[in-house]
Amino acid sequence: MNHTPRILSLATALPPHRLGQDEALGVARAVFGPRMRDFERLVPVFANTGIETRHAVMPIDWYMEPRGWPERTAAFREGALALLEEAAGQALARADLRPQDVDAIVCASTTGIATPSLEALLLERMGFRPDTVRLPLFGLGCAGGVLGLTRAGQIAQAMAGRTVLFLVVELCTLAFRSAEATPTNVVASALFADGAAALVLRADDDGERPRLVDGAEHTWPGTQDVMGWRVEDDGLGVIFSQSIPTLIRSRLEPVLDGFLERRRLARGDLAGLIVHPGGAKVLHALEEVCAPVTAGLDDAWAVLRRCGNMSAASVLFVLERRIESGARGPHLMSALGPGFTAALAQIDL
């Protein structure tokens, strides 16, 4: 029998260093202000993001000094593993499982480099079996939470009855590069944050748990320069276009409706939304495109306000809030990432 993947448990984790938006502005002003004639013109960005607090994997002073690839990579490896261990441990405990019970791990991250990959480094650290199937995912960016979950669901369906652990961690703050005094880098310093999530899946006949019904993606031609990374001498340089909200408004609707039609659904049939809170402008654009559905948008705004933009991890924080609120019925899960790609999934809570 072809069972639908079900979510057994979900847990999230934040690093220890909490940063208020006023404090972030102070750092950006100290680092960029003396070298940018128009810095004060960009200051309203910090208030307009909708963010109040964020969490960072390193203390604030660490970001004010020049850092190269060795330091950034060490911080990524140490910080990512600590957050994944915390999130995975909580998710497994909530499902009444041990690491030895996991048959496959899918791990998504695009904000750092680790070879062996992060889930490989967790095998001995957490006590997973040596024969655990592993799938590391890199390059999906903000879409990685939805696309990674879809891949994990496909593996769970192919391994029916077995346990799949989906992990996502993004340490976006490590992309803060003090040497690049540009408007894009200032905007990134107003948005980016760190976080991780872990989700346990199994394709079985337990009808009481949330179902991952289906997933899809759409990559628009000619949009490869909309979002991504540049590899610089001192780290990863952020690429994101000011046209993203416009692209959402002009191109997402037919893709979204086409996905729902294939599921014999319309937007009005949805019980709610689970969307990646990439920023205030992105959420406003999604609100217009997804109308008349509004349930779940308040959860996305809450995650943005309290946690900032944690790239692929953010949408799992929103999903956690929807589940904990007792929401029921079909939900559209969505995120946008490099490609430029729309990631979509139907989750029935």
Side-chain angles (χ1 to χ4, degrees):
M1 185 178 293
N2 191 16
H3 294 302
T4 303
R6 294 185 179 273
I7 299 172
L8 276 61
S9 63
L10 169 61
T12 57
L14 293 167
H17 304 288
R18 187 172 179 270
L19 180 67
Q21 195 70 327
D22 289 342
E23 188 178 1
L25 172 57
V27 172
R29 181 177 276 120
V31 172
F32 299 125
R35 292 177 292 143
M36 293 183 68
R37 183 175 57 184
D38 295 334
F39 177 81
E40 293 302 321
R41 182 177 58 83
L42 296 171
V43 165
V45 168
F46 287 81
N48 294 339
T49 58
I51 298 169
E52 295 178 1
T53 59
R54 288 176 278 163
H55 289 76
V57 73
M58 301 299 287
I60 192 65
D61 292 346
W62 187 90
Y63 299 92
M64 300 183 72
E65 299 294 330
R67 305 288 177 181
W69 276 102
E71 292 170 289
R72 294 180 191 275
T73 301
F76 174 78
R77 174 170 163 156
E78 180 180 346
L81 288 174
L83 286 175
L84 287 177
E85 185 173 14
E86 178 183 348
Q90 291 180 7
L92 290 171
R94 291 173 184 176
D96 196 23
L97 295 170
R98 303 167 302 162
Q100 299 94 319
D101 298 320
V102 173
D103 299 289
I105 303 175
V106 177
C107 183
S109 185
T110 306
T111 46
I113 298 170
T115 306
S117 53
L118 293 171
E119 81 291 338
L121 295 171
L122 282 176
L123 288 185
E124 288 188 56
R125 180 167 172 154
M126 291 192 66
F128 294 106
R129 300 197 317 265
D131 65 345
T132 305
V133 174
R134 299 186 294 109
L135 178 62
L137 300 174
F138 179 86
L140 299 176
C142 296
V146 179
L147 294 180
L149 179 57
T150 299
R151 302 291 186 274
Q154 290 166 341
I155 291 175
Q157 202 156 26
M159 302 171 64
R162 303 210 182 166
T163 301
V164 178
L165 178 63
F166 173 52
L167 303 175
V168 57
V169 61
E170 299 292 13
L171 306 184
C172 306
T173 65
L174 296 180
F176 181 81
R177 296 165 47 251
S178 58
E180 183 180 326
T182 63
T184 297
N185 215 21
V186 172
V187 173
S189 71
L191 284 171
F192 281 167
D194 302 337
L199 186 148
V200 180
L201 285 168
R202 188 183 296 149
D204 58 22
D205 58 358
D206 185 348
E208 300 301 317
R209 301 179 185 274
R211 297 192 308 150
L212 175 59
V213 178
D214 197 6
E217 59 193 275
H218 181 91
T219 301
W220 289 281
T223 59
Q224 293 181 356
D225 59 348
V226 170
M227 185 185 297
W229 292 125
R230 298 187 318 273
V231 178
E232 304 288 358
D233 290 340
D234 58 345
L236 295 171
V238 64
I239 300 171
F240 55 75
S241 170
Q242 293 181 349
S243 67
I244 291 173
T246 301
L247 288 171
I248 293 172
R249 289 185 173 94
S250 63
R251 301 195 186 187
L252 181 58
E253 186 173 358
V255 174
L256 186 157
D257 287 342
F259 171 72
L260 292 176
E261 286 170 9
R262 289 190 293 276
R263 300 299 315 164
R264 298 183 180 179
L265 293 171
R267 273 176 275 170
D269 299 320
L270 295 171
L273 303 169
I274 303 163
V275 299
H276 167 60
K281 291 182 178 179
V282 168
L283 282 178
H284 285 309
L286 287 171
E287 183 176 5
E288 293 179 23
V289 171
C290 294
V293 190
T294 59
L297 285 173
D298 55 342
D299 294 302
W301 279 106
V303 170
L304 180 65
R305 184 169 59 251
R306 298 173 186 177
C307 303
N309 183 343
M310 300 172 286
S311 189
S314 294
V315 75
L316 277 300
F317 280 69
V318 179
L319 174 59
E320 181 181 48
R321 286 181 61 92
R322 292 302 288 162
I323 292 174
E324 290 179 350
S325 73
R328 294 290 182 268
H331 281 62
L332 175 71
M333 191 177 190
S334 69
L336 297 154
F340 181 57
T341 298
L344 304 168
Q346 180 190 339
I347 295 183
D348 289 356
L349 300 182

